[in-house]
Amino acid sequence: QVQLVESGGSLVQAGGSLRLSCAASGSTINIMGWYRQAPGKQREFVARITRSGSTNYADSVKGRFTISRDNAKNTVYLQMNSLKPEDTAVYYCNVLDWGGVYYWGQGAQVTVSS
């Protein structure tokens, strides 16, 4: 069993930066990533990272967001720069363990004002 605790959600002005963290406990983690869901919209992929450091980003955040991880701490981070109002959403941590099971964090609210 894996439990995820997210932190770092906040209100920020457009053009600003924010860093989200997601700490996992219970098992070692294979792939870690982030999804987000805006009001009235479906949850969408944002970024993911493997244990070796390979990354993948949604086109909407490419060049602005950076995903990273600390394997010793089982923690994944999302550094968000040049934030836009359309980035406003609840951001969910998502992890895949080595048994092929997915887990979700509770969500962190990110609000970007004009």
Side-chain angles (χ1 to χ4, degrees):
Q1 185 182 34
V2 172
Q3 294 182 341
L4 305 176
V5 179
E6 300 181 32
S7 62
S10 186
L11 171 66
V12 63
Q13 290 190 338
S17 297
L18 203 60
R19 190 194 197 201
L20 302 180
S21 299
C22 176
S25 63
S27 298
T28 56
I29 304 301
N30 183 358
I31 298 173
M32 309 185 82
W34 295 92
Y35 286 69
R36 67 186 182 186
Q37 187 167 17
K41 307 289 288 186
Q42 294 192 9
R43 190 172 300 184
E44 65 176 350
F45 166 79
V46 176
R48 66 170 65 91
I49 185 169
T50 68
R51 285 186 63 86
S52 64
S54 297
T55 59
N56 183 244
Y57 297 93
D59 289 341
S60 59
V61 305
K62 187 185 71 174
R64 300 187 298 119
F65 291 10
T66 302
I67 188 170
S68 62
R69 64 188 289 170
D70 184 333
N71 291 331
K73 297 181 178 180
N74 260 2
T75 299
V76 62
Y77 307 93
L78 186 67
Q79 178 67 46
M80 303 182 291
N81 298 327
S82 301
L83 283 163
K84 306 174 181 179
E86 50 263 46
D87 294 318
T88 295
V90 177
Y91 284 70
Y92 295 92
C93 180
N94 174 245
V95 307
L96 173 67
D97 72 14
W98 290 101
V101 178
Y102 288 94
Y103 299 89
W104 291 94
Q106 78 277 11
Q109 177 67 52
V110 173
T111 302
V112 184
S113 63
S114 300

